[in-house]
Amino acid sequence: MPGNGADTPDGARRLVRHALADRLLHWGMAISTLILLGTAFLPILGIEFAWVTIHWVSGIVLTVLVIVHTVRASFWQDLRSMWVDRADLRNTLQLARWNLRMSARPPGLPGKYSLAQKLIHHVFTVVGLAAIVTGGLMMVKIDTPWWDRNPYWLGEDVFGVIYVIHDLAALALITLVMVHIYFALRPEKLHFTRSMFLGWITRREYNEHHDSARWAVDAE
Amino acid sequence: MELFRVSRDVWGQEVLQGMSWDLIPFFFGAGAVLILCHLVYRWLLAPKGQPK
């Protein structure tokens, strides 16, 4: 492996993977998403409580966090680190060949994020935005501190489509959250999970799991 | 299994209310199947020295 510093004292050195602001955004989005799922599905499953206010307030919190994350990722971070590039596709092809025993050569290392991490991020983005936009439109039907409800703002047929998209997004989030948590708890991924709590990975982990040519990292 | 929830308006016409909640187990099951498939792949099929 190129530049493997696993056996050197330098291997334990901490490198920044997620800044504090990004970790707070991640956990804020995670908590608000879980509250949204809980307030959406628990009443359907028979656990009844006054869920509407908690649901739309959490939706607004999630919307604000997503906007802040988008602005921060666009102007203060390297947006390309989340973009699927040719090297990802090349590595995926090689991964398939390696798994099918068509090649003895393992695939190359990813940059900051693997293709799987990029894809689940993008699916979360599409599904989350669908839920946020439709949820925002549905809010015209409830009283808020900013406006009185107006159930006739859009026709019932249009609201029907909005409900379907919102429900589909919510249902898809069940699957996505399950898969996301499963991979976060996989033994070989725990250093990623730790970095989402504490912010850092070690130089050893960096050398073992990342291509330094694709992700230049800062020391803590 | 119904795909959609529908109701009737005051004129008796069907009004779409959203996706059927009968689909909740399907989406939960899809997550469970994906996890199970990956577990089986890692335990039985993945080559030694699988990249992490």
Side-chain angles (χ1 to χ4, degrees):
Chain A
M1 230 161 275
N4 191 333
D7 298 328
T8 69
D10 193 42
R13 206 166 130 225
R14 292 175 180 181
L15 307 173
V16 177
R17 180 169 167 85
H18 299 298
L20 179 62
D22 301 311
R23 284 179 275 148
L24 291 174
L25 284 169
H26 173 269
W27 291 114
M29 288 188 275
I31 291 166
S32 53
T33 299
L34 290 176
I35 292 173
L36 284 159
L37 288 177
T39 49
F41 291 114
L42 290 179
I44 294 165
L45 299 174
I47 301 169
E48 297 193 13
F49 58 97
W51 61 272
V52 175
T53 304
I54 307 171
H55 192 78
W56 72 254
V57 170
S58 302
I60 287 179
V61 170
L62 177 63
T63 305
V64 170
L65 292 173
V66 167
I67 291 169
V68 173
H69 166 65
T70 306
V71 171
R72 184 170 157 74
S74 301
F75 298 105
W76 279 272
Q77 293 179 300
D78 182 11
L79 204 57
R80 288 169 302 176
S81 68
M82 193 50 85
W83 213 243
V84 177
D85 59 20
R86 281 186 191 174
D88 290 320
L89 302 178
R90 217 172 22 243
N91 286 344
T92 303
L93 192 66
Q94 183 58 25
L95 179 69
R97 288 168 54 81
W98 192 53
N99 271 281
L100 294 169
R101 275 66 173 177
M102 293 165 65
S103 167
R105 183 169 57 86
L109 295 170
K112 185 174 185 180
Y113 300 106
S114 68
L115 179 65
Q117 289 169 327
K118 292 176 183 180
L119 289 180
I120 202 161
H121 173 272
H122 298 333
V123 176
F124 263 114
T125 302
V126 171
V127 171
L129 286 179
I132 284 170
V133 171
T134 51
L137 291 169
M138 286 158 72
M139 280 186 65
V140 300
K141 284 197 161 191
I142 57 169
D143 291 324
T144 71
W146 307 287
W147 62 79
D148 295 329
R149 66 194 296 267
N150 178 7
Y152 307 108
W153 191 61
L154 294 169
E156 277 303 315
D157 50 345
V158 179
F159 271 120
V161 174
I162 289 169
Y163 296 150
V164 165
I165 295 170
H166 194 73
D167 294 350
L168 259 181
L171 288 164
L173 277 170
I174 296 175
T175 312
L176 285 172
V177 168
M178 285 174 70
V179 172
H180 184 53
I181 292 174
Y182 162 73
F183 280 107
L185 296 177
R186 290 276 320 168
E188 74 276 10
K189 313 279 185 200
L190 284 178
H191 62 286
F192 292 132
T193 308
R194 185 198 57 222
S195 73
M196 196 47 90
F197 282 102
L198 302 175
W200 51 266
I201 59 171
T202 62
R203 166 68 66 182
R204 181 183 299 111
E205 289 160 346
Y206 175 72
N207 288 336
E208 285 176 357
H209 302 288
H210 301 280
D211 181 344
S212 58
R214 300 181 65 196
W215 178 33
V217 71
D218 301 322
E220 193 177 51
Chain B
M1 187 174 68
E2 298 291 330
L3 278 182
F4 301 103
R5 287 177 292 124
V6 291
S7 64
R8 293 196 177 275
D9 64 15
V10 291
W11 295 280
Q13 291 179 316
E14 280 195 343
V15 178
L16 198 52
Q17 293 294 327
M19 298 302 295
S20 167
W21 299 135
D22 294 343
L23 295 170
I24 294 174
F26 174 80
F27 281 85
F28 187 85
V33 167
L34 281 170
I35 290 168
L36 204 63
C37 286
H38 186 263
L39 281 171
V40 169
Y41 158 73
R42 289 295 301 211
W43 281 339
L44 302 177
L45 303 173
K48 300 275 185 226
Q50 174 78 353
K52 296 160 181 173

